[in-house]
Amino acid sequence: MNGEHHYRLTSTWTGNRGTGTSGYRDYDRAVTLQVAGKPDLAASADRPFRGDPERWNPEDLLLAALSECHLLSYLHACVTVGVVVTAYEDDATGTMVLDGNGGGAFREVVLRPRVTVADASMIEAAEAAHAQANAWCFIANSVNFPVRHEATIVAALQ
């Protein structure tokens, strides 16, 4: 599976209230994200940036991408070492810091996966699989801030 992989997305601004960007408060931050063959995603800016809090924002999407990429990489890592995962849920958080000049950057993301494995004998290998998953995660390898993991692993059978 070596080589390049290409992705295509269309972002369409749908927030023209009739006067375009005639003023900072005169337009909506509504965006529709489209990928061929998938449902449209309603997006916007985050609420502090005059966005619609009911829509996905870029910060939500970045956090979601990191969480899902780790989850999928982790499941693969577990398969390779014989760990049977029966449940996985992540409560991910991200910290973004504004620079005072209109920009900012994420400082870190912390993933807090709660993993259930089939048997207690798998817990140690399940814990170690998080490091492998982080090394394999395309998205974590593409950001310039730390992505930490605070996993909890329990066994369905003790």
Side-chain angles (χ1 to χ4, degrees), residues 10-108:
T10 301
S11 298
T12 305
W13 174 52
T14 57
N16 184 348
R17 295 179 180 153
T19 61
T21 57
S22 58
Y24 184 70
R25 300 179 192 287
D26 297 337
Y27 64 95
D28 193 352
R29 275 62 175 175
V31 174
T32 300
L33 303 174
Q34 298 168 304
V35 173
K38 298 179 183 180
D40 291 356
L41 183 63
S44 182
D46 195 7
R47 175 180 235 148
F49 310 110
R50 305 193 58 76
D52 182 343
E54 294 182 10
R55 290 175 171 240
W56 287 84
N57 63 60
E59 297 81 11
D60 293 333
L61 293 167
L62 177 61
L63 188 59
L66 285 162
S67 179
E68 182 183 358
C69 187
H70 184 79
L71 182 158
L72 295 171
S73 298
Y74 180 76
L75 296 178
H76 177 68
C78 285
V79 166
T80 65
V81 295
V83 171
V84 178
V85 174
T86 60
Y88 183 114
E89 183 175 311
D90 182 17
D91 288 321
T93 60
T95 302
M96 185 178 72
V97 180
L98 301 179
D99 65 12
N101 295 316
F106 270 80
R107 179 186 309 152
E108 76 170 353

Side-chain angles (χ1 to χ4, degrees), residues 134-146:
N134 189 60
W136 284 344
C137 177
F138 305 134
I139 309 302
N141 287 313
S142 300
V143 298
N144 66 351
F145 53 84

